[in-house]
Amino acid sequence: MLESLSIFATAATAIFMEAAPFLLLGSLIGALLEVFVPPDTLARFIPRSAAGQVFTGVFAGMVLPTCECGIVPVVRRLLLKGVPPRVAIPFMMAAPVINPVVIASTLFAFQGSIEVVFLRCLFVLVPAVGLGLALGNAPAAQVLRHAPATTAALPAAMPGSHAAATFAAPHPVEQEHACGCGCGHAHGGKLTSVLFHTVAEFVSMARFLVLGAVVASAFKTFLPPEVLGYFADNAYLAIAGLMLLAVLLSICSEADAFVANSFASFPLTSKVAFMAIGPMVDLKLIPLFLMVFQRRVALCLIIVPTVIIYFMAALTAAMGG
């Protein structure tokens, strides 16, 4: 029993230590966006069309090596800056998988299999794009929990809109003395503001990361290995089993391909489903979703990718994949 508890503590610490630097980096990027990027700057570069906005989010995910451990605070700041959910949500859901680093690690783990990379990206892009289109240009106050009151009047934050102009021009006193994030923190210089926002964001989200690490390590330590054997012989159970395992293990997307390929007795499609769902929904992300987003939005971010990825994997398996 003591040995199991030792393994459990070690696994929980390892998960936290693996994810914490990325969460800190994400908090820092979010703080830099808050302090140095005026609210209307990002909106100026966003296309007006729905397809253009979704493509912008997906393209950003393709070119920026981003881990799921730190992307939530970045997206929260983007939404507060007036970036529409149609851009921010596809970026958040897809970036941890479709970026060059993860694609390269997947190719390496699966001996250069283009099929595996294509399926993994496809399984991720479909729910990511669907969620972005569903949320559209909803204002931050309808998407985020505890969004500052100044965001409530930003239905689209598109260039030239009255709402964008209102948001971009706060009261002169507020602009001079406050940071504009709703926290009431007074400016003490740009660097002080960046440090303040970084620490506040990190501390706020790290407690949920700790919770996720503890729960994930408990399943990793105490789940009997023979349980997986019941799933391996049935393609549809194998998909469900490895998807559940991906959520429970909470492995970062840069490393999960090597873990997936180690399940030698499982069908290939179930391994792809494992690699698709993990970076979108795991025990690190679920508490963060529930804390950052409105409950209905958070539930959609959890349920929609799970359902779509399962059915896409099951269809692929039925077609002989």
Side-chain angles (χ1 to χ4, degrees):
M1 183 63 181
L2 289 177
E3 183 180 357
S4 296
L5 290 176
S6 177
I7 295 173
F8 163 75
T10 301
T13 303
I15 291 173
F16 178 81
M17 295 301 291
E18 179 186 55
F22 295 99
L23 184 61
L24 180 60
L25 178 61
S27 299
L28 174 60
I29 294 172
L32 292 171
L33 286 172
E34 172 63 34
V35 174
F36 290 104
V37 180
D40 61 340
T41 298
L42 293 174
R44 201 175 300 142
F45 297 97
I46 296 173
R48 291 182 178 275
S49 67
Q53 290 177 1
V54 170
F55 175 79
T56 299
V58 170
F59 180 75
M62 291 174 64
V63 299
L64 298 175
T66 310
C67 177
E68 73 273 13
C69 303
I71 199 169
V72 175
V74 175
V75 169
R76 180 176 180 273
R77 285 295 166 193
L78 290 175
L79 289 167
L80 290 174
K81 286 291 180 182
V83 174
R86 198 179 282 144
V87 176
I89 297 302
F91 170 70
M92 180 179 71
M93 303 303 284
V97 168
I98 65 173
N99 71 75
V101 174
V102 173
I103 289 176
S105 70
T106 306
L107 278 172
F108 186 80
F110 284 87
Q111 293 80 47
S113 175
I114 300 297
E115 178 190 4
V116 171
V117 172
F118 172 77
L119 287 175
R120 183 180 191 184
C121 292
L122 180 65
F123 285 7
V124 166
L125 285 172
V126 171
V129 169
L131 284 166
L133 291 174
L135 291 172
N137 284 330
Q142 292 183 12
V143 177
L144 298 172
R145 295 184 64 187
H146 315 301
T150 51
T151 66
L154 188 66
M158 296 305 300
S161 69
H162 174 72
T166 302
F167 184 67
H171 192 277
V173 175
E174 180 187 7
Q175 191 174 32
E176 181 179 0
H177 298 290
C179 64
C181 70
C183 64
H185 178 64
H187 276 310
K190 296 287 188 180
L191 179 59
T192 302
S193 296
V194 169
L195 292 176
F196 173 83
H197 282 291
T198 300
V199 172
E201 195 89 52
F202 179 78
V203 171
S204 176
M205 295 194 177
R207 51 186 172 155
F208 296 94
L209 176 60
V210 170
L211 174 63
V214 168
V215 176
S217 62
F219 281 100
K220 188 174 184 178
T221 304
F222 301 112
L223 183 69
E226 57 270 16
V227 171
L228 292 178
Y230 295 122
F231 295 87
D233 295 333
N234 183 293
Y236 305 109
L237 288 178
I239 294 168
L242 285 192
M243 286 180 65
L244 176 61
L245 191 64
V247 173
L248 299 179
L249 293 182
S250 304
I251 304 169
C252 281
S253 56
E254 287 89 348
D256 62 358
F258 300 94
V259 177
N261 200 34
S262 69
F263 299 117
S265 60
F266 281 75
L268 180 62
T269 308
S270 64
K271 299 177 186 180
V272 176
F274 175 93
M275 295 185 293
I277 193 62
M280 301 184 83
V281 182
D282 66 20
L283 289 182
K284 301 190 306 291
L285 289 170
I286 290 173
L288 294 178
F289 287 161
L290 292 171
M291 185 199 76
V292 170
F293 296 98
Q294 294 282 356
R295 182 171 298 275
R296 282 185 292 183
V297 175
L299 291 177
C300 286
L301 295 176
I302 296 167
I303 295 171
V304 170
T306 303
V307 173
I308 290 179
I309 289 172
Y310 178 82
F311 280 104
M312 290 183 69
L315 179 62
T316 304
M319 296 170 61

